[in-house]
Amino acid sequence: AGVWDERYYTMNLTFSFTNLFISGHTNITGLQIKTPGGLEQVKFILVTGANEVTVDSNIVTGSTRVRNLAGIYFGPGQEGYGQVYIKNNIAFDISDDANGSCFSAYSFNLPTVDVYFYNNTAINCQRGFGIGNNGGNTSFYMANNLAVNSVEMDYTGTSLLVESDTNLSSDASSPNAIFRNKTVQFVDYQNKDFRLSPNDTEAKNNGLDLTGI
């Protein structure tokens, strides 16, 4: 429903070096995942296979520390051509790591892979969205994403994007200039309800039509 709800099932990551691995032909939808904090090298959802993977409508939260923190991460290990869709997810309160992002994707000398970030929200992260390339053939696409109140930057590595539309930031880092330095209104920011307020004028009704994706 777009907001964390303790009445529903929650997956708790309580150890360092913990990841929920996803490989080819997998759809992960509707999970709530959190960590109590103070852990090392945690990736809440780690996509390691590229053959039609979808990560849709999940919520992840919790602080980790030291290195290689990520809420939802696409990284090495892919085989063959494929597409990865990361969409409609919310990640919040994931910080305290200089290398961390709520949403991350990196290319590592791999076959052709297309990675799409659509309609995701990053709140109170070390970095909202982080894109990187180490010589691979991955193509990155972003549309209708929202990043607010990151410790470092809301977006990094955006020069690597093939396409970007209507990505909003609270700082000056959005890849789309007219969506920089915006103040978004949420339903109840203090109580972690990060659905857009009916009174919001910055993000609401300003997104790209992604019908059918």
Side-chain angles (χ1 to χ4, degrees):
V3 60
W4 189 275
D5 193 329
E6 295 289 350
R7 295 175 300 173
Y8 299 119
Y9 173 78
T10 298
M11 180 178 293
N12 294 284
L13 305 182
T14 57
F15 298 97
S16 295
F17 303 92
T18 301
N19 308 292
L20 174 59
F21 286 94
I22 303 173
S23 191
H25 304 288
T26 304
N27 188 340
I28 297 296
T29 302
L31 292 181
Q32 295 186 145
I33 307 175
K34 68 178 179 180
T35 174
L39 305 180
E40 301 180 12
Q41 301 199 47
V42 171
K43 295 175 178 64
F44 294 80
I45 298 177
L46 172 59
V47 179
T48 62
N51 294 317
E52 298 300 326
V53 172
T54 300
V55 181
D56 186 2
S57 303
N58 302 283
I59 304 178
V60 298
T61 184
S63 177
T64 64
R65 64 178 175 83
V66 183
R67 296 181 63 248
N68 297 328
L69 136 76
I72 297 175
Y73 177 88
F74 168 84
Q78 302 78 7
E79 297 180 358
Y81 176 83
Q83 295 179 318
V84 174
Y85 293 92
I86 299 172
K87 60 182 183 177
N88 306 318
N89 302 284
I90 298 175
F92 66 94
D93 294 349
I94 301 174
S95 60
D96 194 28
D97 184 322
N99 297 312
S101 300
C102 275
F103 296 89
S104 299
Y106 288 85
S107 180
F108 292 89
N109 298 306
L110 299 169
T112 302
V113 179
D114 296 324
V115 181
Y116 301 88
F117 288 92
Y118 291 153
N119 300 331
N120 299 290
T121 299
I123 309 290
N124 301 332
C125 303
Q126 192 71 26
R127 292 176 292 189
F129 294 82
I131 306 297
N133 188 309
N134 189 25
N137 296 317
T138 302
S139 297
F140 303 107
Y141 303 81
M142 298 183 72
N144 296 358
N145 298 288
L146 187 159
V148 173
N149 295 340
S150 299
V151 176
E152 296 180 39
M153 298 174 63
D154 289 337
Y155 296 84
T156 63
T158 55
S159 64
L160 299 172
L161 295 172
V162 175
E163 292 181 6
S164 63
D165 292 284
T166 59
N167 298 288
L168 186 149
S169 66
S170 61
D171 61 13
S173 64
S174 169
N176 310 113
I178 64 172
F179 289 96
R180 296 171 182 166
N181 300 306
K182 299 298 184 179
T183 300
V184 178
Q185 295 185 57
F186 297 100
V187 171
D188 191 345
Y189 183 92
Q190 295 301 320
N191 289 305
K192 313 299 183 182
D193 187 340
F194 298 121
R195 294 174 294 183
L196 291 176
S197 167
N199 299 320
D200 178 69
T201 59
E202 300 290 4
K204 188 176 177 64
N205 298 323
N206 286 329
L208 188 71
D209 185 357
L210 299 176
T211 302
I213 297 179

